[in-house]
Amino acid sequence: MVSPLWAWDGLPLAVVLSSFVPGVLIMFLREEQTLLRNTLNMTGALAKVGFVGLMLQGVAAGASYEWAFEILPGLELSLAGDALALLFVTLSAVLWLVTTVYAIGYMEASRNRTRFFAFFSLCVTATTGIAMAGDLFTFVIFYEALTWATYPLVVHSGTPEAIRAGRTYLAYTLGAGAILVVGAVGFEVTTGTVAFAAGGVVDPMAVEAEPIRYLLLFLCLLVGMGVKSAIFPIHGWLPTAMVAPAPVSALLHAVAVVKAGAFGVIRLIHSLFGIEVSWEMGLTTLVAVLASFTIIYASVRALAQTDIKRILAFSTVSQLSYIALGVALLDPLAQVGGLVHLVHQGIMKITLFFCAGVIAQTLGVKTVGAMGGVARRMPLTMAAFTVAALGMIGLPPVAGFISKWYLGLGALGAGAPWVILVLLASSLLNAAYFLPILRTAYFDEPSESWSDPWPHHRLEADWRMVLPAVITAALSLAVGVFAASDWSPLGWALLIVERGGL
Amino acid sequence: MESILTPLLGLAWGIPLALCLLWALPSGHRLGERLVPWSALPALLLALLSGGIDGSGTGLTLPLLFTGAEFSLDPLGRAFLLFTALLWLAGGWFAAAYHRKDPRSGAFFLFFALTMTGNLGLVLAADLLTFYLFFALMTFAAYGLVAHARDRPARRAGRIYIVMAVLGELALLSGLLSLGAALGGVPTFGAEIEGSWRLLEGGDASGLSLLATGVLLAIGLGVKAGIVPLHLWLPLAHPVAPTAASALLSGAMIKAGLLGWVRVLPEETALPVLAMGFLGVGVFTAFYGVLMGVPQDDPKTVLAYSSVSQMGYMAIGVALLVHDPALAPLALAAIALYAMHHGLAKGALFLSVGLADRAPRAAGSPDDPWRRRILVGAALPALALAGLPLTSGGLAKNALKDGLGELGGVHYAVVDPLLLVAAFGTTLLMVRFLVTLERRRRDSLADAGAEGSEGAGFGGLLFPWAGLIGIGLVGVAWMGIYTPITGDAALPGLFDGWLAGLAPVLLGGLAGFAVLRRGEWLGSFRSVRIPAGDLLRPIEWGIQRLPRPDQEAIVERLEALGGRGTGWVVRAFDPVIALADRDLKSIRGAPLAVLVFGLALALVVLLLR
C-alpha cells in the first residue's frame, strides 16, 4: 500500500524551508532580476501552501509531526506539527501567498526590492518556525530571528521617520527578547525541561514550594511575549511601526510579529504553565485584566486618530488582546474564541491594510476626511474594506462575530460576566471609528485632489493589489458564513480544544 | 414541512441576496434595479402556499452555514411573512416608479435588496443566531435607505438611527449570549429556547440574571420596535427616507422587533416583572405617540408617531404572552393579527404621501381630481388604524381585548378603558394626518406651478398603493377564513364589541373635524411646537452641556504611561541601530541576516548550556 503524501515526516522542515530557501536565494539576485525574483517568491509561497495543506490533512486524520535536529548534545531544534501549530501555520502560509502578490504590485516602483523580498521571506520563515516550535528553545530562536528579519522591512523607506520607527521597534523587541531569554533559561533551570506539552509542564507542587520564583518566571516570559503581542503598556512600538510599506504593515499586523507574540502567550499559559496552574497562581486574571484594559485603551486611542493606517494600527493593538483574553479564561469556549480570533483577526486586519494601502497608492488618500466618494471610485476595494470593518465591529456573519460570540459564551461560562462589558464596549468603540469611515466613503462627495481620478475601461487599481484584498475579504466572510464547517477556523479551534491540544 | 416548499425557505431570502451580486458586475446594477423590486415573490409564494401545512417541526437546515442555520415557517411566522412579503413587493413596485429618474437609484436598490434579505430571512429563521444575523443585516443595510437623500436632515436622521441601532444591537447580543451560555450552544426557537430560559432560571437563585436577560432582550429589540423611550430614531428617519422606504420601515421592519420579542422571550418561564413592564410601557407608548404626533406638520412624521403609538398596542400583546403560558395562543393570535393589520394599513398610508407628491396635475387648471381620490383612498386604512369595527383594525383590537379580558383582574380594569381613550386619540391622529396630507398635496401643486406633470409611470405608484388598501379591506374576511395563520386560538367574531369599537372612532372623528372647522385647532399648532424626535432635542442639549473630559490631556497621560517610560530603553539601543543602518545601506543585507541568525542562535545556545 502506498502511504499517503501527508505521511512524510519532513513536512515541518519543508514548510519552514519553502520560504527560507527563496529568501536566501533572492539576496544574491540583482535589483533588476524582477521575473526571477517573483518566480522564486511565488514558487515558495505556493509550495508552502501545498505543504501546509498536506499537513492539515494529516493532522485531521490523526497524525502528528515531529522533526528534530540536535545542535549540541541534549539541545535540539525541534519542529512539531500538531493542530494548534497548524492553526497558525495555515494562517501565515495563506496570507503570505496573497501578500506576496500584493507586494509585487505595491513595490513595483520602489527601490531596494531585492532586500525587501529577501527579508520578507525570512520574516515568514521565522513565523512558521515559531508556530511549529516544539519547545521553548526553538521558539526563542525563531522569535529572536523574527525581530531581526522584520527590522529591515520596518525601515524600508529609509526616511527619518522610518528609521525612528525602526529604532523604537528594535528597542522594544530586543529588550523584551533579552527578558524572554532570561525567562527561558530560568524556566529550563527550574523545571528541567523546555518542551511544550498540552496542559503544561509545570508541577503544581513545585509552584506551591516556590511561588515567587515561578511568578517571576511567568512575568519574564509574559513581558517577552507581551511586547510583540502589544499588550499595554508595552505596545508603543506597534503604532509607530506603521510607517512601513503597506504589505509589511499588513503582514506585520495580521500574521508575523504580533501573532508570534499572541501565539507565545498561548504557549506560555497552556503549553508551559498549564491553564490550571496559571489560574491557581492568579496569573490568568492578570493577563485577562491587562488584555481587557488594552482592548479598551487602544480603541479609545484609535478613536482619536485621523490617519487611516494609524486607526488600523491601534485597532490591531485592541483586537490582538482578544486572543490573550480568550486563552486566559478558564473555559473551553473562551479558549476557542481566543484561538479562532488568531485567524479571524489576521484575515480581517490584512484586508483592511491591503485596502488602505491600495487607496493610498492609487488616490493618495490617507485620512478619514479625504475618503469621500472612494466607494464610487474603487467599489471593489471599498466592498472588501466594508466587510472587514464590519467584521471588526463584530457583526454577523463576518469572522469577528464568531470570535466575539465564543468569547462571550466562554466569559459567562467562566463566571466572568465583566468580560461581556469589555466586549460590548469594544464593539461600540469599533463601530465609532469604523462606521464614520464607511459613511464618508459611501455617502460623501468625491474629493477633487485624487492622484488618479476616474479610470475608464479598466480596473479601479492594479489588480495585483485589488485581488488580494478581495480574496481576504471573501475569506473573512466565508469563515463566518461557513463557521459550522469542520474546515473553518472555528471547526479547527474546536478540534484543538476537543483533543486537549491546548 | 419536507415538501416542495422546503427550498423556498432558502430561496425566499437567497434570491434577493443573490441579486446583490449583480452590483459587482460592470453595469450589472441596471439589471439589478429591474429585478430587485420583484424578488420578494418567492417569499409571498411561500406564505400563500404553505396554508394548510402545519409548519412546526421540520424545516430547512443548512448545517454548514454560519453556526448551523435553521429555517422554518410556523403559523406566526407565516402571518409575518405574508405581510412582510406583500409590503416589500408593493414597496419595490412603488420605488421602481418613484426612483425612475433618481441618479442614485442604483445605490438605493442595492440597500433595498440587502434590507429585504434581512427582513425576510429573520422571519424564517428558526434559531437564535440566524435570527440575529438577518436582524443585523436588515438594521445596518437600512441605514442606506434612511440616509438616501444625502442632505443634512438625512445625515442627522441616519446618525441617530445608527447610534441607536448599534446600542440596541449590543443589548440584544448580550441577552442572546446569556441564553446561549445557559444552554452551551445556539438554541433554536420553541422548545430549546424555553429550555434555555429554564436553565437560566434554575442556575440563579436570585433571579437577577434571568430578569437582566429578559430586560436586555426587551431593550435590544425594543429599539427596532420603537417603544418609548427607544423610539427617538423613528420620527426622524421616516420623514427623510424615500416614501417606499418609510412604508417598509413602519410597515415591515419595526415588526421585526415585535417578532423578535415573541421568538426569544419565554412563554413558559414566568417573568411577571417583565410582563408588567411591557404592559406599562405599551400603554404609555400608545398615548405618548398620539400626544407627540398630533402637533406635527409633516404627514410622514404624523405617521411615524402613529407607528410608535401602535407598537405600544403590540407591546401589550407581548405582555400577555410573557405573563401567562395559558394566554399564549390568544396573545399570539392578537399579535399576528395586529402586526398584519398595521403593516398593511401603515404601508398604504405612507404610500399615500408619495402619491400626493407625484400624482399628475393639470397645468394651469385649478381642478385637482387626484386630491379627493388620494384622500378617500387614504381614509380607508386610516379608519382601519383607528379601529373601526368590521375593518382589520377592529378585528385586531378585538383580539387584543379578548386577551386582556382573559388576563382579567385589576390590569384589565385599568387598561381596557385606557385603550378606549387611546383609540380616540388614534382617530384624532388620523384626522391630523389627512389634514397634513391634503396640505402637502396643495403645496406640491403650488411648487409645481404651471408646469403640470406628465404623470408617466404613475401606474407604478398607483397600483401598489391601491393594492395594499384593497388587501387591507378584504383582509378581514380572509383572516377569518385562514384560521391556521393565528395558531390554535379562535378569532373573535367580526361583530364582537362593535359598539365599544365604534364609539371612540365616531367621537374622535367628530371631535377632530369639529375643531378643524371651528378654530383650525387641528390645522395649526402655532403655540405648541414639538420637534420630530421629541426627547431628542433635550437629550442632545444635555449631552452638549455635559462636562467634557479633556481628551487630549487624557490621551497624553495614557501615552506617557505607555510610551515615555521606555524612552531611555530606546536611546540605549542607538549604537546597535546605527550599526544595523550602516549595514543595510552598504551591503545588500545577506551577511547581516546570516550574522544575526548566527548571533541569536549562539546567544541562546550559550545561555542554555
Side-chain angles (χ1 to χ4, degrees):
Chain A
M1 197 181 128
V2 185
S3 64
L5 276 175
W6 52 256
W8 177 38
D9 285 338
L11 275 175
L13 187 64
V15 169
V16 173
L17 290 182
S18 58
S19 50
F20 183 73
V21 171
V24 172
L25 288 180
I26 285 171
M27 284 188 178
F28 299 97
L29 293 183
R30 285 189 317 278
E31 188 67 23
E32 41 316 331
Q33 288 173 299
T34 312
L35 186 66
L36 186 55
R37 189 175 58 227
N38 290 348
T39 314
L40 276 171
N41 256 321
M42 290 305 294
T43 314
L46 286 169
K48 191 192 279 287
V49 171
F51 292 137
V52 170
L54 286 177
M55 282 178 79
L56 277 174
Q57 277 184 32
V59 170
S64 67
Y65 297 87
E66 263 170 57
W67 178 91
F69 167 73
E70 196 162 52
I71 301 174
L72 288 166
L75 199 61
E76 50 185 29
L77 204 61
S78 113
L79 295 175
D82 55 4
L84 175 60
L86 272 174
L87 188 77
F88 189 17
V89 174
T90 312
L91 176 78
S92 36
V94 172
L95 294 192
W96 185 45
L97 178 62
V98 285
T99 312
T100 303
V101 176
Y102 186 86
I104 290 171
Y106 189 92
M107 305 300 287
E108 192 159 48
S110 165
R111 289 183 304 136
N112 293 326
R113 277 174 293 165
T114 298
R115 185 181 78 199
F116 178 85
F117 281 105
F119 282 101
F120 199 65
S121 302
L122 291 182
C123 178
V124 173
T125 308
T127 309
T128 40
I130 289 169
M132 290 192 296
D135 58 30
L136 189 56
F137 168 71
T138 316
F139 185 93
V140 169
I141 288 181
F142 282 110
Y143 199 81
E144 299 295 327
L146 180 62
T147 302
W148 289 104
T150 311
Y151 174 74
L153 300 176
V154 173
V155 300
H156 180 80
S157 67
T159 60
E161 199 193 356
I163 300 288
R164 243 192 338 268
R167 192 170 70 174
T168 313
Y169 168 75
L170 271 194
Y172 272 94
T173 48
L174 285 182
I179 298 173
L180 179 70
V181 170
V182 172
V185 172
F187 192 87
E188 209 265 346
V189 171
T190 309
T191 63
T193 177
V194 284
F196 290 141
V201 294
V202 168
D203 176 15
M205 307 299 283
V207 176
E208 239 165 76
E210 292 178 292
I212 300 295
R213 180 175 190 152
Y214 279 94
L215 180 70
L216 286 176
L217 281 179
F218 189 96
L219 290 179
C220 280
L221 292 169
L222 182 65
V223 169
M225 313 295 188
V227 159
K228 284 204 169 100
S229 173
I231 293 175
F232 183 90
I234 41 182
H235 64 282
W237 63 274
L238 187 56
T240 323
M242 66 94 207
V243 295
V248 176
S249 304
L251 205 64
L252 205 77
H253 282 257
V255 200
V257 178
V258 296
K259 284 300 159 56
F263 194 74
V265 173
I266 298 178
R267 284 295 193 201
L268 168 63
I269 295 180
H270 288 272
S271 306
L272 287 177
F273 277 73
I275 182 85
E276 302 282 342
V277 175
S278 312
W279 185 74
E280 270 160 33
M281 291 168 74
L283 292 167
T284 54
T285 316
L286 172 76
V287 174
V289 168
L290 276 179
S292 299
F293 183 78
T294 310
I295 290 173
I296 303 298
Y297 164 79
S299 284
V300 172
R301 293 294 310 274
L303 206 53
Q305 310 301 322
T306 51
D307 184 288
I308 296 169
K309 273 184 91 178
R310 272 187 80 81
I311 294 180
L312 295 184
F314 277 110
S315 157
T316 306
V317 176
S318 171
Q319 294 274 337
L320 271 177
S321 279
Y322 275 48
I323 304 169
L325 176 61
V327 297
L329 290 173
L330 193 63
D331 184 280
L333 290 180
Q335 289 155 20
V336 169
L339 283 177
V340 79
H341 204 57
L342 187 91
V343 177
H344 287 170
Q345 188 270 348
I347 50 183
M348 293 189 298
K349 185 46 65 69
I350 208 164
T351 310
L352 291 171
F353 268 106
F354 280 165
C355 293
V358 66
I359 289 170
Q361 188 94 325
T362 314
L363 303 178
V365 170
K366 287 178 179 149
T367 58
V368 180
M371 283 290 285
V374 170
R376 247 182 292 166
R377 168 65 180 77
M378 304 177 73
L380 282 176
T381 310
M382 266 322 286
F385 190 91
T386 307
V387 167
L390 294 181
M392 284 290 174
I393 300 170
L395 288 182
V398 192
F401 173 75
I402 304 290
S403 314
K404 197 164 71 174
W405 177 254
Y406 275 87
L407 283 173
L409 287 186
L412 288 176
W418 58 271
V419 171
I420 303 281
L421 290 181
V422 174
L423 295 178
L424 294 184
S426 168
S427 295
L428 187 65
L429 289 165
N430 271 274
Y433 57 77
F434 276 123
L435 290 181
I437 302 181
L438 300 184
R439 213 266 327 270
T440 312
Y442 282 93
F443 291 92
D444 283 4
E445 287 307 308
S447 142
E448 299 293 317
S449 55
W450 284 343
S451 48
D452 177 12
W454 309 94
H456 294 290
H457 309 295
R458 64 179 167 90
L459 194 65
E460 56 197 56
D462 189 335
W463 70 269
R464 288 170 299 188
M465 289 187 272
V466 177
L467 186 68
V470 170
I471 288 176
T472 50
L475 272 178
S476 314
L477 201 56
V479 298
V481 168
F482 300 107
S485 151
D486 284 347
W487 291 98
S488 73
L490 177 66
W492 198 261
L494 287 167
L495 177 88
I496 294 173
V497 172
E498 268 165 32
R499 284 191 183 171
L502 255 189
Chain B
M1 201 169 47
E2 194 57 51
S3 72
I4 47 162
L5 293 181
T6 308
L8 276 177
L9 286 172
L11 292 176
W13 53 268
I15 286 180
L17 184 64
L19 286 180
C20 296
L21 292 177
L22 283 174
W23 268 260
L25 303 174
S27 302
H29 66 90
R30 300 223 175 85
L31 183 61
E33 282 173 49
R34 287 174 172 239
L35 293 178
V36 163
W38 311 108
S39 57
L41 271 174
L44 183 64
L45 206 64
L46 177 63
L48 290 176
L49 293 183
S50 61
I53 303 164
D54 175 18
S56 57
T58 53
L60 175 69
T61 305
L62 301 172
L64 284 188
L65 209 63
F66 206 38
T67 47
E70 308 222 16
F71 300 90
S72 75
L73 193 62
D74 59 351
L76 183 78
R78 181 166 176 249
F80 273 79
L81 186 66
L82 190 63
F83 76 79
T84 304
L86 272 172
L87 278 168
W88 278 100
L89 271 176
W93 194 356
F94 192 91
Y98 197 83
H99 292 277
R100 239 164 23 107
K101 292 184 179 163
D102 183 348
R104 285 193 302 264
S105 61
F108 180 82
F109 278 104
L110 178 60
F111 287 117
F112 191 90
L114 284 169
T115 315
M116 189 196 314
T117 306
N119 199 354
L120 294 173
L122 71 90
V123 174
L124 296 171
D127 71 85
L128 207 59
L129 279 194
T130 309
F131 175 84
Y132 180 64
L133 160 68
F134 285 104
F135 189 84
L137 175 62
M138 180 185 82
T139 301
F140 284 88
Y143 174 85
L145 300 180
V146 172
H148 179 73
R150 314 279 207 272
D151 53 7
R152 272 177 76 91
R155 289 189 85 148
R156 175 159 182 266
R159 193 175 64 236
I160 305 289
Y161 171 80
I162 205 77
V163 167
M164 295 203 61
V166 168
L167 291 175
E169 214 64 16
L170 295 180
L172 178 58
L173 178 68
S174 44
L176 298 183
L177 274 171
S178 175
L179 284 179
L183 195 76
V186 180
T188 54
F189 292 140
E192 270 190 35
I193 212 154
E194 295 295 339
S196 206
W197 281 104
R198 264 196 302 279
L199 286 169
L200 205 58
E201 191 183 26
D204 171 25
S206 64
L208 195 67
S209 66
L210 183 72
L211 184 65
T213 308
V215 170
L216 283 169
L217 292 170
I219 291 176
L221 293 158
V223 170
K224 183 68 59 210
I227 47 163
V228 180
L230 307 172
H231 68 291
L232 298 173
W233 63 272
L234 236 136
L236 288 180
H238 282 72
V240 298
T243 303
S246 322
L248 286 161
L249 266 177
S250 245
M253 285 186 243
I254 59 175
K255 308 294 189 305
L258 175 69
L259 182 68
W261 279 336
V262 177
R263 294 284 197 223
V264 303
L265 292 178
E267 279 174 36
E268 288 159 23
T269 304
L271 270 173
V273 181
L274 193 66
M276 286 309 107
F278 265 107
L279 193 64
V281 168
V283 173
F284 183 74
T285 301
F287 277 92
Y288 190 85
V290 170
L291 281 178
M292 293 295 133
V294 169
Q296 301 298 332
D297 288 324
D298 183 334
K300 283 170 103 181
T301 315
V302 176
L303 288 182
Y305 273 110
S306 158
S307 293
V308 172
S309 165
Q310 294 294 311
M311 289 312 287
Y313 285 82
M314 290 174 243
I316 296 173
V318 178
L320 297 178
L321 189 73
V322 181
H323 187 265
D324 186 353
L327 288 179
L330 249 179
L332 283 176
I335 289 169
L337 274 182
Y338 216 112
M340 271 210 288
H341 141 69
H342 180 254
L344 294 173
K346 196 47 73 60
L349 288 174
F350 267 109
L351 294 191
S352 317
V353 183
L355 211 63
D357 290 344
R358 295 284 179 90
R361 43 196 81 123
S365 151
D367 286 348
D368 180 13
W370 280 103
R371 190 185 70 104
R372 184 175 299 246
R373 288 173 210 166
I374 294 170
L375 279 180
V376 170
L380 295 173
L383 280 171
L385 213 63
L388 188 74
L390 293 178
T391 63
S392 58
L395 191 69
K397 281 193 176 161
N398 271 343
L400 196 62
K401 279 189 179 178
D402 279 6
L404 274 172
E406 291 284 319
L407 182 66
V410 65
H411 306 309
Y412 178 68
V414 174
V415 174
D416 195 52
L418 281 178
L419 286 187
L420 275 183
V421 183
F424 173 74
T426 304
T427 315
L428 279 185
L429 197 57
M430 286 299 107
V431 174
R432 176 67 187 162
F433 165 69
L434 292 175
V435 169
T436 49
L437 180 68
E438 199 270 340
R439 192 166 298 167
R440 176 134 166 172
R441 173 72 185 164
R442 221 166 53 204
D443 292 350
S444 84
L445 283 181
D447 283 352
E451 288 170 33
S453 90
E454 80 281 36
F458 179 57
L461 303 177
L462 186 63
F463 295 130
W465 176 70
L468 282 184
I469 293 175
I471 293 171
L473 279 182
V474 296
V476 193
W478 165 78
M479 282 173 193
I481 297 165
Y482 271 101
T483 41
I485 222 164
T486 54
D488 309 328
L491 286 179
L494 270 181
F495 291 96
D496 289 358
W498 65 274
L499 197 62
L502 189 62
V505 180
L506 270 182
L507 283 176
L510 282 175
F513 281 106
V515 287
L516 181 70
R517 294 194 70 172
R518 303 256 316 162
E520 276 239 328
W521 179 74
L522 278 167
S524 82
F525 273 86
R526 292 208 178 76
S527 50
V528 190
R529 283 249 161 251
I530 294 180
D534 51 279
L535 289 173
L536 203 58
R537 284 281 164 83
I539 291 174
E540 283 179 326
W541 187 87
I543 288 176
Q544 275 165 13
R545 270 150 198 81
L546 279 179
R548 283 204 175 223
D550 185 354
Q551 279 188 347
E552 298 273 313
I554 293 177
V555 164
E556 218 160 88
R557 205 167 298 166
L558 284 173
E559 210 155 330
L561 200 60
R564 300 231 176 99
T566 44
W568 62 273
V569 187
V570 179
R571 277 190 298 280
F573 278 89
D574 277 355
V576 184
I577 286 144
L579 191 74
D581 278 346
R582 213 180 49 223
D583 274 359
L584 279 171
K585 276 173 198 150
S586 55
I587 48 178
R588 279 188 301 178
L592 175 73
V594 174
L595 184 78
V596 165
F597 257 104
L599 272 180
L601 201 69
L603 184 73
V604 179
V605 169
L606 283 177
L607 281 169
L608 278 179
R609 281 297 290 159

